[in-house]
Amino acid sequence: MTSQPPTSLLQSFTYPSSSDPNYQIQWTRLGPQDAQPLIFVHGTPWSSRLWAPYALALSRKYSVYLFDNPGYGQSKLLTAAATAEFATNGPLTKQAEITAALFRHWGLSRPPHVVAHDNAGLVTLRTILQHGCVYKSLTLIDVVAVGPWGLPFFKLVAENEDVFKAIPAGMFDGIVRNYVRDAAYKPLRKEDEDMLAEPW
């Protein structure tokens, strides 16, 4: 029997928490339960798995929380309605709403330190300004927080959706992998690139 890595996202949070949830967020917590909370928030096209080495190191001193944003990594959009809502309301607006609900769900006894990367900077700022979250500190790493944001590529995709849906799978995989490689500061390990490209 193989054991799960300590950073495996084995906990689930559904949102809304009604009988018909649209989102399932996978998360985990590492380190002493009563220690200062520390939350890592990933951006696009990332996953919490890339925070794992930092989470493991810091879990000696902090109660570290990892999760995958809606529609990324192990967190799923559960319904067609969720997919449409995510697209219509803007994924970052919806991510902020869901992230704030997740943080409330954890019932932290004190304000956490939060580390946010890429567009998670905008998401975490929205959790403060629009959803009333309070943090002990907010560390923003290479963030996208002031518009306009996004690459010209995303505009091209939005304007030519049918063309991109018709691209053969192998060619589309190459486009996605190139996007993932361009978003990384240093070359990624093959298994990390595979993990990031797989949901697309």
Side-chain angles (χ1 to χ4, degrees):
M1 174 186 242
T2 59
S3 63
Q4 296 282 345
T7 56
S8 295
L9 306 179
L10 301 178
Q11 305 280 345
S12 290
F13 168 72
T14 55
Y15 183 83
S17 56
S18 65
S19 59
D20 188 25
N22 288 326
Y23 304 92
Q24 179 178 314
I25 308 304
Q26 294 301 120
W27 65 276
T28 194
R29 192 198 61 74
L30 309 165
Q33 179 78 35
D34 60 348
Q36 171 65 48
L38 169 63
I39 304 170
F40 287 99
V41 188
H42 70 82
T44 302
W46 310 109
S47 157
S48 64
R49 279 187 45 191
L50 297 178
W51 288 120
Y54 307 101
L56 288 169
L58 291 167
S59 68
R60 295 181 193 113
K61 181 177 178 181
Y62 295 95
S63 181
V64 178
Y65 290 80
L66 293 174
F67 68 99
D68 279 343
N69 283 323
Y72 295 88
Q74 296 176 39
S75 293
K76 306 298 180 202
L77 307 178
L78 297 176
T79 63
T83 303
E85 179 181 38
F86 207 71
T88 304
N89 291 333
L92 300 180
T93 301
K94 198 65 183 176
Q95 280 183 21
E97 178 185 326
I98 296 166
T99 298
L102 176 64
F103 290 3
R104 284 191 299 275
H105 168 76
W106 287 333
L108 303 176
S109 61
R110 53 187 150 170
H113 293 293
V114 175
V115 178
H117 172 249
D118 192 65
N119 62 14
L122 177 62
V123 169
T124 54
L125 289 170
R126 282 179 183 252
T127 63
I128 294 168
L129 298 171
Q130 295 178 328
H131 301 283
C133 290
V134 176
Y135 303 141
K136 183 171 177 114
S137 70
L138 176 58
T139 302
L140 303 174
I141 301 171
D142 194 19
V143 298
V144 177
V146 178
W149 57 79
L151 301 171
F153 175 72
F154 292 121
K155 184 177 180 187
L156 180 68
V157 171
E159 292 171 351
N160 299 282
E161 186 176 343
D162 290 338
V163 172
F164 281 90
K165 284 182 177 179
I167 293 174
M171 290 178 72
F172 186 76
D173 183 64
I175 292 170
V176 169
R177 287 177 183 279
N178 189 59
Y179 172 72
V180 168
R181 285 184 206 118
D182 282 352
Y185 177 71
K186 293 181 177 180
L188 297 170
R189 296 178 309 163
K190 182 172 182 334
E191 58 266 27
D192 290 333
E193 182 182 306
D194 291 345
M195 178 268 304
L196 292 169
E198 187 270 329
W200 299 91

